[in-house]
Amino acid sequence: MTDLLTHIETQPPEVLDAIARSMNVRAAEPAMQSICARYMGEIVIRGANALEVGCGNGAATKLLMQHVKPARLVGVDPCSLFVNMASEAFKGEPRVSFALGDAASTGQPDASFDLVIAHTVYSHLVDPKSALTEAWRVLKPGGQLVIFDGDFATLAMALFDDDPMQSAVDAVLRNLVHAPYIMRQLPALVSAAGFRVESLQPHGYVQTTSPDYLLTLLSRGTTAACRAGEIGQMLVDGFEREAERRVASGTFYGAMLFVSLTARKTNDALTTGVPRRLPRGSARSPPKVSGRSLRYREGSRP
């Protein structure tokens, strides 16, 4: 998987703008809002200090503030443009702040949060084990880790065997998703990191008449494939026209399974020696903004 967001700070403005629009579209969709209300509504921590890893442009942050209602939320993302967008969106909201930060190096103090949440982030992580170690470090004892992402290996737009639209989906997965199977692997990874997994919930997502988010995903994935030299612009245009034709004719179908995982940092896990803790007061610094690759691909996406 190439995942163009490996070097997110080197992406041209039009790519970053397309990603931001896609995040806004997805967060505004009734189907996704229903899923978020369900999984976020089960997070009940009164007066929580929350850390949102991979906050993106703040689109998912708005849903978190609506459903989780933390007393304080810090959002971190490796993309300076997205941090600026999120800060602007929450200007005048004293409970919310944003900073540059990597999933494996948030720059936040030890044992300072009741909740760490990653919304559509882990499918882009190069090193999920380091991200889990970092989540352990910044969580208070008894703190909760919540990870929500797509089981992207289930993403489908085919209406029949060998449907060319599924080739477009393959382009999306090749260029926008680093770890399409991560939600299947996370229960074991989270347990190995010393957390106790409390729940693993499926959330079906199907779009037929108003697949706005899936159309943005299709457009970004095929455009990235074109930039990578995999296909030509004529094929990109053809995929988009066919998708639009299916929507207009009422034959479009797109579906994927999303999964939410909830785990807890327990006191008994402190004796297992599995998580590698940093010395107290040794919070890692946020990443410098540069063109080099960061430890995870992108926050709150694709």
Side-chain angles (χ1 to χ4, degrees):
M1 301 296 173
T2 56
D3 198 343
L4 60 85
L5 298 164
T6 303
H7 306 281
I8 191 167
E9 282 293 333
T10 68
Q11 297 304 317
E14 61 269 22
V15 172
L16 295 177
D17 287 342
I19 293 169
R21 286 195 302 273
S22 184
M23 286 189 279
N24 289 335
V25 167
R26 183 179 61 193
E29 277 192 353
M32 185 55 63
Q33 288 188 343
S34 177
I35 290 173
C36 289
R38 186 161 62 251
Y39 98 82
M40 292 179 182
E42 294 179 356
I43 305 170
V44 182
I45 307 175
R46 295 186 183 278
N49 282 333
L51 175 65
E52 183 188 1
V53 175
C55 62
N57 67 344
T61 312
K62 294 178 182 179
L63 297 172
L64 285 170
M65 294 305 294
Q66 177 184 350
H67 297 296
V68 181
K69 298 180 175 65
R72 170 178 168 262
L73 183 143
V74 177
V76 296
D77 198 277
C79 177
S80 58
L81 177 61
F82 291 155
V83 169
N84 290 338
M85 287 180 173
S87 298
E88 181 64 24
F90 282 87
K91 186 168 58 178
E93 172 52 84
R95 296 176 298 164
V96 182
S97 61
F98 299 93
L100 283 172
D102 184 291
S105 182
T106 63
Q108 302 301 312
D110 288 3
S112 54
F113 292 96
D114 306 290
L115 169 68
V116 171
I117 186 164
H119 182 87
T120 63
V121 173
Y122 270 68
S123 58
H124 306 289
L125 291 179
V126 177
D127 186 1
K129 292 181 181 179
S130 292
L132 291 170
T133 298
E134 179 72 348
W136 174 278
R137 183 185 69 80
V138 300
L139 275 171
K140 299 175 183 177
Q144 199 169 52
L145 172 66
V146 177
I147 299 170
F148 174 86
D149 217 318
D151 180 12
F152 278 94
T154 66
L155 179 60
M157 295 185 190
L159 296 177
F160 47 84
D161 289 345
D162 301 321
D163 187 340
M165 286 299 291
Q166 197 62 29
S167 297
V169 170
D170 293 341
V172 170
L173 297 181
R174 259 194 321 275
N175 290 278
L176 301 185
V177 182
H178 175 68
Y181 293 95
I182 187 63
M183 294 310 293
R184 307 181 189 191
Q185 300 161 354
L186 266 182
L189 291 174
V190 168
S191 296
F195 292 93
R196 184 181 72 236
V197 176
E198 296 186 327
S199 69
L200 188 71
Q201 298 293 330
H203 307 277
Y205 176 84
V206 178
Q207 291 288 6
T208 54
T209 58
S210 301
D212 295 338
Y213 165 61
L214 291 179
L215 293 181
T216 67
L217 199 61
L218 185 72
S219 176
R220 289 193 294 117
T222 54
T223 298
C226 183
R227 285 199 181 97
E230 295 178 359
I231 59 176
Q233 186 62 47
M234 290 181 65
L235 188 53
V236 174
D237 296 340
F239 280 134
E240 292 191 5
R241 285 196 300 270
E242 175 60 13
E244 292 167 357
R245 185 197 69 79
R246 292 186 183 191
V247 173
S249 66
T251 60
F252 182 91
Y253 179 89
M256 181 169 60
L257 181 69
F258 283 89
V259 179
S260 58
L261 179 146
T262 301
R264 193 168 299 276
K265 176 180 176 176
T266 56
N267 290 332
D268 57 330
L270 291 174
T271 62
T272 64
V274 177
R276 291 181 293 174
R277 302 293 309 280
L278 295 176
R280 181 165 294 279
S282 61
R284 301 172 187 172
S285 300
K288 295 180 180 179
V289 182
S290 67
R292 66 181 179 83
S293 173
L294 292 170
R295 289 215 184 190
Y296 74 99
R297 307 294 176 107
E298 183 191 1
S300 286
R301 12 227 191 263

